[in-house]
Amino acid sequence: MQDEADFRANSREDRWSFRATTALVTGGTKGIGHAIVEELARFGAAVHTCSRNEAELSRCLQRWEAMNLKVTGSVCDVSSPVEREKLMEDVKSIFHGKLNILVNNAGTGFQRRVTDVTPEDFKLLTSTNLDSAVHLSQLAHPLLKASGSGNVVFISSITSLVGIDTLAVYAATKGAMNQLTRSLACEWAKDNIRANCVAPGYIRTPLIEPLCENEEFVAKETNRIPLGRLGEVDDVAPVVAFLCLPASRYVNGQVVVIDGGRTVNG
Ligand code: NDP
């Protein structure tokens, strides 16, 4: 554990800084992951990311280089155990065996009544959303421990907290992620690694583009949200960044809801 006197002696800037910080953010070429990569990198972290699409990844890396951000990337399908191992080998080599932040963001979902979910659907949802979160955390553990100060953040969803029809299996993967967060928070605290989770409501990204094009859906949802709008990626990225900063050092094992108040609106 960090000495209290050291923390006090640090300037306030250090509490809010990602200087000398390394991060892996999965699924950083689009949507929420893209915003998280930029948030961490803009505040000084060296970030590694991944996606399945080589051309898209390379376009993003060029853009980040032009912005003077320290971002590297690997092509990786996080639903594949072999590719996850290769990804972590890349991270280990690029960051010399030390990793401060793991953001398990890459995920997928689609609307389907539970009675229509096929074994293939089930496999896709669980391998992409849950197997990857567990396995990447396992693989990252020695690197997080070696850094002396680690943070894991999972991107869950409000579907893990409230019932929404047509999303049962997706919701189940996210509920499991919340519980994984709580267990890791207890298990890894002795290694100075915190684990937290964010649960966003509907956030405008390519994943939910078809829903956002449905005016009736948007109007109905907007009506349920006290802040009166769907979320944007920049509503999520700064919260994830906060959970990875020394400033939040006593926050551990929490599911932070980012939904404009939807889940508290009776
Ligand atoms: P997007 O589909 O917009 O972006 C997903 C990103 O992850 C892309 O970069 C995509 O790149 C990558 N990705 C997807 N599958 C894989 C895979 N198997 N292996 C590697 N990379 C992958 O999704 P969002 O930004 O909306 O979602 C990000 C996370 O946030 C997900 O876990 C999602 O469940 C969660 N979430 C989203 C909400 C929303 O309303 N948007 C609400 C609550 C939670 P590529 O396709 O090229 O591989």
Side-chain angles (χ1 to χ4, degrees), residues 27 29-30 32 52 76-78 105 156 170 174 201 203 205-206:
T29 56
K30 282 185 272 182
I32 294 170
R52 293 164 297 182
C76 167
D77 181 341
V78 299
N105 165 75
S156 175
Y170 174 79
K174 297 299 185 178
I203 306 295
T205 68

Side-chain angles (χ1 to χ4, degrees), residues 38-114:
E38 293 199 354
E39 193 77 14
L40 300 182
R42 273 178 188 276
F43 287 94
V47 184
H48 192 77
T49 192
C50 71
S51 97
R52 293 164 297 182
N53 183 325
E54 189 167 9
E56 189 67 32
L57 179 64
S58 137
R59 239 191 324 275
C60 287
L61 291 174
Q62 279 171 24
R63 171 182 144 88
W64 289 322
E65 193 180 357
M67 292 163 72
N68 274 326
L69 300 179
K70 281 182 277 176
V71 187
T72 49
S74 302
V75 175
C76 167
D77 181 341
V78 299
S79 69
S80 151
V82 174
E83 294 191 31
R84 293 192 291 254
E85 281 178 13
K86 169 74 177 61
L87 172 67
M88 207 52 75
E89 280 308 312
D90 290 351
V91 169
K92 193 171 172 183
S93 143
I94 291 165
F95 295 146
H96 311 291
K98 293 181 183 174
L99 182 68
N100 297 105
I101 297 168
L102 168 64
V103 182
N104 280 299
N105 165 75
T108 194
F110 42 81
Q111 293 186 289
R112 193 145 307 162
R113 293 197 177 280
V114 71

